Amino acid sequence: MSGPLTGIRVLDAATLFAGPLAATMLADFGAEVIKIEHPAGDPVRTHGAQRDGVGLWWKMLGRNKKSVTLYLGSPEGQELFRRMAADADVVIENFRPGTLERWGLSYATLRQHNPGLVLARVTGFGQTGPYAHRPGFGTLAEAMSGFAAMTGEPDGPPTLPPFGLADGIAALTTAFAIMTALRARERDGQGQQIDLAIVEPILTLLGPHILAYDQLGQLPARTGNRSVNNAPRNTYRTADGRWVAVSTSAQSIAERVMRLVGRPEFLTEPWFATGSGRAAHADELDAAVGEWISQRDTDEVVTAFEKAEAAVAPIYTAADILADPQFHALETITTVEDAELGPLRMQNVLFRLSETPGEIRWSGPPLGAHTEEVLRGYDVDELSLARLRKAGVVR
């Protein structure tokens, strides 16, 4: 079955991590994504865990993509890229502003032969402004968005996430922006540029903290695992040494939790009637919930909460995820056969469509695995390919 994006051709010339992940999302639903890699290889190939010298992150991020090596710093590489962009629907890049222009690959140049081209430019701080030329990574966005300032223990330092949070949020936003631009092209017949600064999507996701400062002069304090909007909300250790997370965003859930742990008297307190009131008494509520949970094994806690229709979840590692029946039922984790490493278990596509589902057709391919196949479609014969290889333009 063809994916819903079959017929859309994407040139993924981005690296680490927002742009490439957006391209992966499009590829998962049928887009033909041609990964343009430097002949030395995309940096993610050597990023993080490896098995037998093969990068595992690449196997996920490069899935469903065709790997083509092309040195864009060379005139020959630039000419080939222009030809490829002439019949592409989307180009995704994350070079510093001005780099494409210096290479003769500006949007004005590319759209001369392809007025419908959508060019997604994903950078740390956008294409304009005093910070535009700074190196931009997700860590900087997590710092400057306000995320780090409000994350961590009250008496501890600002805390950064141990993974690419801002990049991931920007990737989702980039994929949405691309689909929005393609929909506009259906209506108007014209492509356009997308200017996406990684710092902006996470800023939006953090909620009304800008409004709270603008209108009330309030700055959010670090609260650890607690929430300023409700309580009890925390992680609690069980008798068998594991951890569970409890959430009481809804008033009815908070009431069920306190009845479950044998403290119904809290429900009669005036402050218990609101989330902010409960948050102001988090010490008392945490003590009650924590004591009850600490006397029971994880399975007993989860079963009791489920029976009481209260919200709890065990703190999972990857091993727990792979063994969980709910993830099995959803097929959240799937097995992909890989030519280099054999069967690989990885996260499946992001959502399930009833009529045109996405799928993982292959994992991240070896470097340059599709160079010859793709370039032959642009009239690069065997002799020309050999010359390009000798010149270091392709591998």
Side-chain angles (χ1 to χ4, degrees):
M1 184 181 296
S2 297
L5 301 183
T6 296
I8 299 295
R9 176 172 289 180
V10 180
L11 301 184
D12 172 12
T15 60
L16 298 177
F17 288 97
L21 183 54
T24 302
M25 295 171 188
L26 301 178
D28 284 350
F29 287 91
E32 179 190 14
V33 176
I34 300 172
K35 178 67 181 179
I36 305 297
E37 297 190 65
H38 189 283
D42 189 285
V44 80
R45 288 183 179 273
T46 57
H47 210 87
Q50 299 192 11
R51 178 186 153 203
D52 299 333
V54 178
L56 299 180
W57 207 330
W58 166 253
K59 289 301 178 183
M60 178 182 173
L61 196 62
R63 71 192 195 191
N64 290 335
K65 299 180 184 181
K66 296 179 178 179
S67 171
V68 173
T69 57
L70 195 61
Y71 177 47
L72 296 180
S74 67
E76 298 93 339
Q78 293 156 11
E79 175 56 27
L80 278 169
F81 189 85
R82 281 190 286 269
R83 288 160 61 184
M84 296 173 73
D87 66 353
D89 297 283
V90 179
V91 170
I92 305 174
E93 64 96 6
N94 69 339
F95 301 106
R96 291 197 198 186
T99 301
L100 284 189
E101 287 74 10
R102 189 172 69 251
W103 287 341
L105 302 175
S106 68
Y107 185 60
T109 299
L110 296 178
R111 75 176 303 175
Q112 285 179 3
H113 301 288
N114 187 357
L117 180 68
V118 172
L119 175 61
R121 315 192 76 170
V122 185
T123 57
F125 301 103
Q127 296 294 309
T128 58
Y131 301 159
H133 291 275
R134 289 184 181 180
F137 296 100
T139 297
L140 308 187
E142 289 145 10
M144 294 180 66
S145 63
F147 172 85
M150 66 175 70
T151 305
E153 295 299 325
D155 56 351
T159 302
L160 296 167
F163 65 100
L165 176 63
D167 280 297
I169 297 169
L172 288 161
T173 308
T174 300
F176 171 65
I178 288 169
M179 297 310 299
T180 302
L182 290 175
R183 175 64 184 92
R185 187 182 71 175
E186 288 182 2
R187 183 189 63 196
D188 303 330
Q190 295 294 314
Q192 57 187 299
Q193 288 191 88
I194 297 166
D195 178 7
L196 190 137
I198 295 172
V199 71
E200 291 181 313
I202 188 172
L203 183 66
T204 296
L205 204 67
L206 289 174
H209 69 299
I210 300 297
L211 271 167
Y213 180 74
D214 175 62
Q215 296 297 306
L216 303 171
Q218 294 179 353
L219 291 173
R222 290 189 286 281
T223 60
N225 290 324
R226 289 178 172 176
S227 169
V228 298
N229 300 311
N230 62 80
R233 190 264 199 180
N234 214 325
T235 59
Y236 308 89
R237 194 163 193 172
T238 59
D240 53 348
R242 298 184 63 188
W243 293 85
V244 296
V246 171
S247 174
T248 57
S249 296
Q251 181 68 24
S252 60
I253 299 295
E255 294 171 3
R256 291 171 194 165
V257 168
M258 300 319 296
R259 290 193 186 100
L260 173 63
V261 302
R263 302 298 299 273
E265 68 273 15
F266 281 116
L267 277 63
T268 62
E269 296 286 351
W271 50 262
F272 194 87
T274 65
S276 58
R278 288 186 276 113
H281 291 79
D283 286 343
E284 301 162 64
L285 297 174
D286 270 347
V289 174
E291 180 182 4
W292 187 89
I293 288 176
S294 70
Q295 298 171 7
R296 292 161 175 81
D297 288 349
T298 304
D299 289 345
E300 183 182 353
V301 170
V302 172
T303 298
F305 266 75
E306 185 173 352
K307 185 177 179 180
E309 297 185 354
V312 70
I315 304 296
Y316 272 1
T317 66
D320 299 313
I321 292 168
L322 290 174
D324 186 88
Q326 180 63 28
F327 288 131
H328 276 282
L330 293 175
E331 298 184 3
T332 305
I333 306 299
T334 190
T335 300
V336 182
E337 288 295 329
D338 181 73
E340 295 177 290
L341 299 177
L344 303 174
R345 286 186 291 180
M346 67 175 70
Q347 297 94 317
N348 209 338
V349 300
L350 280 173
F351 47 85
R352 289 161 290 280
L353 296 178
S354 64
E355 306 304 322
T356 55
E359 64 174 327
I360 302 174
R361 301 180 296 283
W362 64 83
S363 54
L367 179 61
H370 302 91
T371 298
E372 184 172 351
E373 171 196 329
V374 171
L375 292 188
R376 283 191 182 280
Y378 296 93
D379 300 322
V380 178
D381 58 26
E382 189 172 340
L383 185 62
S384 298
L385 189 61
R387 180 180 59 80
L388 290 169
R389 284 190 171 126
K390 186 175 181 180
V393 177
V394 302
R395 178 172 173 172

